[in-house]
Amino acid sequence: MNTLALPSSITIFPQNKHCKRRIKSPRAALVEAKPRPVPATRGGGSGGDNVPVTVLRVREDSSSYSLSSRDRADDMQAEAKAMARAVNASVYTPEYLAVKYGSRPIKVLQRALEIFSGLGSFAFKLWLDQLNGQLDQNQRLRAVELRQIFTRLGPTFVKLGQGLSTRPDLCPPAYLDELSELQDALPTFPDAEAFTCIERELGRPLDSIYSSISASPIAAASLGQVYKAQLKYSGQVVAVKVQRPGIEEAIGLDFYLVRGLGFFINKYVDIITSDVLALIDEFARRVYQELNYVQEGQNARRFKKLYADKEDVLVPDIFWDYTSGKVLTMEWVEGVKLNQQDAIERQGLKVLDLVNTGIQCSLRQLLEYGYFHADPHPGNLLATPDGKLAFLDFGMMSETPEQARSAIIGHVVHMVNRDYEAMARDYYALDFLSPDVDVSPIVPALKNFFDDALNSTVSELNFKTIVDGLGAVLYQYPFNVPAYYALILRSLTVLEGLALYADPNFKVLAASYPYFAKRLLTDPNPYLRDALIELLFKDGRFRWNRLENLLVQGKKDKDFSAKDALQPVLKLLLGKDGEELRVLVIKEAVRVTEAVILGSVVESYNSMNELMRTLIFNGNAKGPFAMSTAEQESMLELRAQVIRIWGLLRSSENFDPSILQPILQVLQEPQARNLGGRVVGGITQRLAARLLQQVLRLPPSVSAPTS
């Protein structure tokens, strides 16, 4: 192997000599390195020894940046210089790949044969194992072979293996164990090449950047390998990621081949209605973005700004002065991979707590801001010693369109409540169907699958079940799955796979539903408000059980606010387009008020002795107002349900009686006074009718005349 002579001023962290081939170790400190105070920065050229270093100081009580105007200006300048260093970074262009590899048929054929022979031989061995009844006996051997094949075939297939390594519902344990090594334990490339790349990319000698650096990589992944180092001017311990040499050529050829397969599927395979080429291009674009480490740094900054406001989420900071298109320097994070359950529990942490943190953060990513981490495998998620969930590797990111975010929330709520007509209509907003497609034939297909799937409970429904069910429908009807949706599926299935590591019975939907319920109750988005109305009102009647269920689930989300749940509904109710809703609300308000008043009378009647009943109600066996037993029970149940719902609102963690103040203010508006008058009028009429019926009722001793 080539060697690189390092200046004597650089300390090399000791490392196991065998790590050059396969690295399998938790991310842990190799030395006790305490950051030194940051010296005042003075002038100097970009290649000199006295280069100003931009260091972000982070407040201890918050993940937000605490920068002065000068610090912020310096940081922006450092980022601009990093972008200039990455100006020649590769961008995915299908046309360029077609021109480049279309004129090199022999190279393309060689690669195709390499892939076919590798995967084909593995498939043949599996077939022989099955034939000879040795599938279980040879499972570990085949798992090792598959990992080796993926590693030999290169980065594209390594990424495929990473995805499979998080799916215990798809792969046996032996395969999961072997494929998990593809996350950060791949064969490394020579350190000399890595150190030369750092110097070339950053335009300065290694000893002007680091006071120490690990002799060998701490981790090696599909696109690069990571070293642990200490910055010379700040003493900050950092992770330095260096890109693999020749990576662009390797993935470019693979995507050219995969694109050819996608073209064939689009043209000749009628059963797949989605645009496979578009899905491949979307994935390829994301992978190529991973090759630009400055882009990854910007992704990390944006992710930190959006989601690290929660105290249980940690996102490392980026050091722009030491970042380029092929070198990324970020804050070092101590931690254990999320699938190393024993190591996590030895630190006194609970894996499921961390998984729940990941799920809640991912829901915010997908459905709140729409900017999400599309590659959350265990190598990119660490449990820190203080119980935080650290996100790493921001190369593959994607965005959910705003309209789709609301539609996904509505879709899940419609599914849980078996509103299949609304589910079918959601596919318009999700851009799965063009507006001219009739969704009525889709409704029975949804009903047939989800009625069986939902026969148990929401808590027993997993994400894979939903995907399988929707997949069965997708194949039968003219759906076109948008490219972003494939990355959402990848992200969610990976998270569910991580959850299943900790608990084989864990259900992502059950853990996620409180978030969906909270958003439906509190979000003023018009699409979600309409979805809430459709859910609560059916055939002119208000479904109090649905509201109670939403409140019960929504309260499980720690950010739920009763105040937020009340005000958007009032605005909708009293708006200029709310007449249809007002009619329903008036009718329901009359019914509820009657239930509260008469329910109290019925309750009092039932607590009386026989003498009092005879004196007050003429001994009527049917009780007050001549109501049947069934009518009394229905009224008492409605009254109890309304009281329970009020109790749920009052028990909200941040409930304050002052939340009623906006209601009182709104009720002073002319539209609200008119609404109140109509409600009072309706209640008066109903109670008057009941009272008149009671007054005119004949005593039980007098029989009605016969003709």
Side-chain angles (χ1 to χ4, degrees):
M1 179 184 294
N2 295 331
T3 58
L4 176 70
L6 295 176
S8 58
S9 58
I10 291 187
T11 302
I12 300 296
F13 291 170
Q15 185 85 358
N16 189 312
K17 64 181 179 180
H18 299 296
C19 75
K20 293 292 292 178
R21 293 193 174 274
R22 283 171 56 192
I23 300 167
K24 189 174 183 180
S25 62
R27 296 170 185 262
L30 298 179
V31 294
E32 190 69 29
K34 297 182 179 179
R36 298 190 298 273
V38 182
T41 59
R42 286 192 287 268
S46 61
D49 288 352
N50 296 316
V51 181
V53 179
T54 303
V55 178
L56 291 183
R57 297 170 178 81
V58 184
R59 292 199 307 264
E60 292 182 0
D61 61 339
S62 170
S63 60
S64 302
Y65 302 135
S66 178
L67 294 174
S68 67
S69 299
R70 182 173 179 178
D71 288 336
R72 192 174 292 108
D74 289 344
D75 184 57
M76 292 174 64
Q77 187 178 23
E79 182 180 356
K81 288 181 179 178
M83 291 173 64
R85 288 191 288 269
V87 70
N88 293 320
S90 296
V91 177
Y92 176 69
T93 311
E95 296 78 13
Y96 172 74
L97 293 182
V99 171
K100 180 177 180 179
Y101 295 110
S103 60
R104 301 162 74 180
I106 295 177
K107 187 176 183 66
V108 171
L109 181 61
Q110 287 175 337
R111 179 59 175 167
L113 288 174
E114 183 184 6
I115 294 171
F116 181 78
S117 62
L119 296 180
S121 64
F122 177 76
F124 180 71
K125 289 177 182 178
L126 278 185
W127 178 71
L128 286 180
D129 287 346
Q130 187 173 20
L131 212 61
N132 298 326
Q134 295 180 319
L135 271 178
D136 292 337
Q137 180 182 336
N138 292 339
Q139 190 178 99
R140 173 63 65 178
L141 174 64
R142 298 291 173 249
V144 172
E145 288 178 354
L146 183 61
R147 174 183 57 75
Q148 291 172 342
I149 289 169
F150 281 161
T151 302
R152 191 166 59 249
L153 289 178
T156 309
F157 291 87
V158 167
K159 287 210 163 285
L160 173 62
Q162 288 174 349
L164 290 174
S165 73
T166 61
R167 298 305 302 177
D169 50 339
L170 298 179
C171 297
Y175 283 83
L176 295 175
D177 194 35
E178 281 297 322
L179 294 178
S180 66
E181 294 190 24
L182 297 176
Q183 291 158 11
D184 60 1
L186 290 165
T188 66
F189 61 91
D191 300 308
E193 291 187 31
F195 295 148
T196 299
C197 178
I198 294 172
E199 292 191 326
R200 182 178 63 249
E201 286 289 310
L202 301 183
R204 60 183 82 171
L206 215 61
D207 63 344
S208 72
I209 305 173
Y210 312 116
S211 58
S212 56
I213 189 168
S214 56
S216 294
I218 305 301
S222 56
L223 304 183
Q225 58 194 37
V226 179
Y227 295 85
K228 182 179 181 181
Q230 188 172 30
L231 294 178
K232 186 170 185 178
Y233 286 94
S234 67
Q236 177 81 40
V237 179
V238 294
V240 183
K241 183 158 75 169
V242 186
Q243 193 172 112
R244 287 182 179 274
I247 190 78
E248 298 169 21
E249 179 72 20
I251 66 171
L253 180 52
D254 283 347
F255 279 123
Y256 173 76
L257 287 168
V258 173
R259 233 182 157 268
L261 180 62
F263 178 80
F264 178 85
I265 292 173
N266 274 359
K267 190 168 184 178
Y268 299 108
V269 182
D270 295 333
I271 194 172
I272 300 179
T273 58
S274 298
D275 187 345
V276 177
L277 271 182
L279 296 175
I280 292 170
D281 286 342
E282 175 70 11
F283 182 70
R285 263 190 291 274
R286 302 302 172 186
V287 172
Y288 265 77
Q289 284 181 8
E290 287 191 76
L291 298 181
N292 184 349
Y293 286 175
V294 171
Q295 178 65 56
E296 180 176 344
Q298 292 172 328
N299 293 343
R301 277 287 178 88
R302 183 179 175 189
F303 191 91
K304 185 180 183 108
K305 182 179 179 181
L306 291 176
Y307 308 117
D309 57 326
K310 301 297 181 183
E311 60 182 15
D312 48 7
V313 173
L314 187 150
V315 180
D317 197 23
I318 306 299
F319 293 83
W320 292 118
D321 291 292
Y322 313 118
T323 294
S324 71
K326 295 184 179 181
V327 176
L328 176 65
T329 302
M330 65 170 60
E331 177 185 356
W332 178 265
V333 177
E334 296 287 353
V336 179
K337 288 195 294 186
L338 213 56
N339 61 350
Q340 296 179 345
Q341 187 168 353
D342 292 340
I344 290 174
E345 290 178 351
R346 281 197 298 270
Q347 296 185 38
L349 305 175
K350 294 182 180 178
V351 177
L352 282 181
D353 288 346
L354 292 158
V355 168
N356 268 312
T357 298
I359 289 171
Q360 298 307 315
C361 184
S362 293
L363 289 171
R364 291 184 70 205
Q365 293 173 47
L366 294 169
L367 304 174
E368 201 162 319
Y369 296 105
Y371 185 67
F372 65 94
H373 196 303
D375 194 23
H377 63 72
N380 293 338
L381 296 170
L382 299 182
T384 67
D386 56 353
K388 293 184 178 182
L389 180 65
F391 284 80
L392 306 176
D393 195 348
F394 300 91
M396 185 175 287
M397 310 294 289
S398 190
E399 297 194 51
T400 313
E402 187 173 359
Q403 183 181 14
R405 294 176 224 161
S406 303
I408 291 170
I409 295 171
H411 195 66
V412 170
V413 175
H414 291 149
M415 179 195 68
V416 170
N417 289 281
R418 306 187 189 215
D419 193 342
Y420 302 122
E421 292 182 3
M423 275 185 75
R425 291 194 298 273
D426 289 334
Y427 294 126
Y428 293 134
L430 286 167
D431 204 24
F432 279 29
L433 294 171
S434 59
D436 58 338
V437 175
D438 180 17
V439 296
S440 54
I442 299 171
V443 176
L446 291 171
K447 179 178 174 59
N448 288 339
F449 173 78
F450 284 107
D451 269 352
D452 289 336
L454 294 166
N455 266 343
S456 351
T457 61
V458 173
S459 63
E460 295 175 9
L461 193 65
N462 62 23
F463 183 69
K464 184 176 182 296
T465 304
I466 300 171
V467 173
D468 289 346
L470 290 176
V473 177
L474 297 180
Y475 285 125
Q476 298 177 44
Y477 298 96
F479 281 87
N480 180 41
V481 179
Y484 74 84
Y485 188 70
L487 288 173
I488 290 179
L489 289 183
R490 171 186 166 85
S491 179
L492 290 178
T493 51
V494 166
L495 276 171
E496 184 171 65
L498 286 171
L500 293 174
Y501 268 116
D503 180 2
N505 298 314
F506 189 91
K507 306 302 178 200
V508 168
L509 185 61
S512 305
Y513 194 63
Y515 176 87
F516 287 101
K518 178 202 73 174
R519 285 289 301 276
L520 197 66
L521 284 167
T522 62
D523 199 312
N525 180 282
Y527 186 94
L528 294 181
R529 291 276 62 80
D530 290 345
L532 179 61
I533 293 169
E534 288 179 15
L535 183 67
L536 297 180
F537 286 94
K538 187 171 184 179
D539 301 327
R541 296 296 294 270
F542 189 86
R543 299 189 283 189
W544 289 93
N545 60 320
R546 294 288 170 87
L547 177 59
E548 184 176 7
N549 178 55
L550 284 175
L551 286 169
V552 168
Q553 293 295 329
K555 274 182 85 284
K556 295 177 183 177
D557 189 289
K558 60 184 179 182
D559 294 327
F560 175 77
S561 166
K563 179 179 180 179
D564 292 338
L566 290 173
Q567 293 189 47
V569 174
L570 279 173
K571 290 178 182 177
L572 177 69
L573 177 64
L574 302 175
K576 61 180 181 180
D577 299 322
E579 178 57 30
E580 184 178 347
L581 179 61
R582 283 193 286 274
V583 171
L584 295 174
V585 168
I586 289 167
K587 180 180 176 182
E588 196 60 31
V590 170
R591 193 168 78 92
V592 169
T593 305
E594 182 185 42
V596 171
I597 295 173
L598 298 188
S600 300
V601 174
V602 169
E603 202 173 56
S604 300
Y605 173 84
N606 291 336
S607 65
M608 292 178 182
N609 57 38
E610 201 63 38
L611 177 62
M612 291 295 293
R613 292 180 185 178
T614 303
L615 290 174
I616 298 176
F617 297 103
N618 296 329
N620 191 338
K622 287 189 174 182
F625 302 110
M627 288 186 289
S628 66
T629 303
E631 191 178 5
Q632 289 183 35
E633 289 176 354
S634 174
M635 195 165 286
L636 287 171
E637 171 56 27
L638 176 57
R639 175 175 172 267
Q641 202 163 37
V642 171
I643 292 172
R644 282 200 304 272
I645 288 171
W646 174 242
L648 285 169
L649 289 171
R650 289 189 62 192
S651 63
S652 176
E653 191 173 311
N654 50 8
F655 179 83
D656 186 338
S658 65
I659 67 169
L660 298 178
Q661 186 175 351
I663 300 177
L664 298 176
Q665 292 173 350
V666 171
L667 290 177
Q668 295 174 16
E669 298 177 7
Q671 188 71 271
R673 288 200 296 270
N674 181 36
L675 177 65
R678 291 161 70 181
V679 171
V680 171
I683 294 169
T684 304
Q685 289 178 16
R686 290 289 289 270
L687 292 179
R690 291 278 190 185
L691 185 61
L692 186 62
Q693 184 183 22
Q694 176 73 14
V695 170
L696 297 180
R697 189 178 60 207
L698 294 174
S701 58
V702 181
S703 59
T706 58
S707 53

